[in-house]
Amino acid sequence: MSARRVRPTVRQVAERAGVSTATVSNALNGTGRLSEATRRRVVDAAHALSYVPYTSATAQARGGTGMLGLTLATHGDLAVPYTQIPYYAELVLAAIRTAHYRGYLLTVLPASMSAWAWLTTPLDGIVHCEPRVHDPIRAILERRGIPLVFAGRPLESRRTDAWIDTDDGAVLTELLDHFRAGGATRVAAVLPRHDDAYPTVLRRAYDDWCARVGQEPVVADFDPDLTNTGESAAVRELLRRSPRPDAVLGVYTDSGRLALEAALELGLDVPGDVAVACFSDDPAYVHLDPPVTTVSLRPTEVGAASVELLIGLVNGRRGLERQRLLPAELQVRASSTRTATPAVRAPRRRPPR
């Protein structure tokens, strides 16, 4: 195991900036009579060393309450409304509930923060959700020298990393086998062009499955956007191909709805002409026509387990299981279940957006 990171000290900042420790305190607290050049030099030195002038660990040592943070991966300039996405809403609530039960406060940090804000927000430890392949936040958080747990396995995971994730590759294989058992011979995937670890893991599992069963991969790519315009166009283009896929899966919360809308627009029966599944979950999918097959990625368990692991690291517990894969759950419904005889087509109501 690697040596414990040592937090930078005010004396190190003072030495780097060429000032006294009192000057460092005044510069970072906005007090004292300092020139703007001196104040800037101190701030730059503190930033370079990842020095945090105050952390809640100090308050905890004095009998106060510890403060944990939860962060979400950035998506470029997209202001993703995470709390409106069922998976993240459940994960965040479970994380808060677990932290409060264990006597800690937990703050959810917005995805769009400056590097300085990530470095200076007073926290004892952080849960970072859905790290990207080349995650800009990960490097910043690791500079803090405080415990860090990933909710979602980093693709470039190291032996000393701590993470909780679901076994997405295994359940995707189960879903693809389910399609094939129902008679599908041309199973397609609709995947985002983004360096999240999540779609990258799914693409690898999909390609491996195709190689195993002898099917050529059928993929429609799209650039994520908040209006679903890119994914909607991708799934429509996919269903117009010749030969047309006879099963389609998407990986975001709205993917199942978008696939049903596209099939309805093109006059296709689900699941008679094309089976549909969504590699995510939303309670509303049970009530669509037909009900959509989904995968539960167990956000409540991931959020709770991530906080429990973080608290163990904060308190220096030994023998912790630092890397855990939880089983995900396939929820098979009518959208992917073909009957032995052709279904009688009936008018369908348009799925709600």
Side-chain angles (χ1 to χ4, degrees):
M1 183 176 294
S2 62
R4 183 179 177 85
R5 296 185 181 92
V6 178
R7 296 173 190 253
T9 66
V10 66
R11 186 174 298 280
Q12 290 173 320
V13 176
E15 290 174 353
R16 186 182 183 95
V19 298
S20 67
T21 55
T23 299
V24 171
S25 178
N26 287 332
L28 298 181
N29 292 327
T31 58
R33 293 184 177 181
L34 303 176
S35 68
E36 185 56 35
T38 299
R39 194 182 303 277
R40 186 73 261 166
R41 191 165 73 252
V42 171
V43 170
D44 288 345
H47 196 173
L49 294 171
S50 301
Y51 171 72
V52 182
Y54 172 86
T55 72
S56 61
T58 305
Q60 191 175 23
R62 295 173 180 171
T65 301
M67 174 71 80
L68 307 178
L70 186 145
T71 71
L72 294 152
T74 58
H75 286 250
D77 295 329
L78 291 180
V80 179
Y82 285 108
T83 56
Q84 298 176 28
I85 300 173
Y87 176 86
Y88 294 109
E90 291 183 35
L91 187 151
V92 169
L93 286 174
I96 293 172
R97 184 165 55 246
T98 303
H100 289 180
Y101 178 76
R102 295 294 303 275
Y104 286 77
L105 302 179
L106 186 142
T107 183
V108 181
L109 304 177
S112 54
M113 290 177 61
S114 68
W116 181 242
W118 288 108
L119 288 169
T120 58
T121 302
L123 299 167
D124 293 302
I126 296 175
V127 172
H128 181 41
C129 298
E130 303 300 335
R132 290 165 54 179
V133 175
H134 303 292
D135 196 318
I137 297 176
R138 172 178 179 164
I140 296 171
L141 296 179
E142 288 179 335
R143 289 169 63 187
R144 293 287 300 268
I146 60 178
L148 174 62
V149 171
F150 299 100
R153 170 180 32 170
L155 282 181
E156 63 276 24
S157 176
R158 300 167 301 211
R159 184 177 58 84
T160 55
D161 286 341
W163 51 259
I164 305 291
D165 199 8
T166 47
D167 196 346
D168 298 345
V171 74
L172 178 64
T173 300
E174 183 182 355
L175 171 58
L176 296 171
D177 286 340
H178 163 70
F179 276 144
R180 194 167 180 83
T185 59
R186 187 172 170 78
V187 180
V190 184
L191 298 171
R193 299 186 193 98
H194 198 277
D195 67 346
D196 284 3
Y198 168 67
T200 303
V201 167
L202 296 184
R203 177 60 191 262
R204 289 178 181 177
Y206 173 75
D207 287 343
D208 290 344
W209 180 85
C210 288
R212 175 169 65 82
V213 303
Q215 178 198 293
E216 190 72 21
V218 182
V219 176
D221 297 312
F222 66 94
D223 294 315
D225 61 84
L226 298 181
T227 63
N228 293 324
T229 302
E231 183 173 8
S232 181
V235 73
R236 280 168 170 75
E237 181 275 328
L238 181 67
L239 292 179
R240 290 190 180 100
R241 291 184 189 179
S242 180
R244 186 183 64 242
D246 52 10
V248 173
L249 69 94
V251 302
Y252 283 163
T253 300
D254 288 327
S255 297
R257 295 184 183 88
L258 297 176
L260 289 188
E261 288 178 353
L264 177 64
E265 178 183 297
L266 297 173
L268 301 175
D269 180 76
V270 176
D273 295 320
V274 58
V276 168
C278 181
F279 201 88
S280 188
D281 202 9
D282 182 339
Y285 276 130
V286 177
H287 306 292
L288 296 187
D289 181 17
V292 175
T293 291
T294 60
V295 171
S296 173
L297 299 175
R298 301 178 63 183
T300 297
E301 290 88 342
V302 171
S306 298
V307 170
E308 287 286 0
L309 176 57
L310 180 60
I311 291 173
L313 295 175
V314 166
N315 288 287
R317 285 179 52 196
R318 300 184 176 222
L320 291 170
E321 186 180 3
R322 298 174 65 92
Q323 300 178 353
R324 290 177 58 197
L325 276 179
L326 306 176
E329 183 178 0
L330 177 61
Q331 308 274 2
V332 175
R333 301 189 180 103
S335 70
S336 65
T337 306
R338 290 190 172 97
T339 57
T341 57
V344 177
R345 299 191 184 187
R348 300 183 183 276
R349 63 180 175 87
R350 183 176 294 276
R353 291 302 299 269

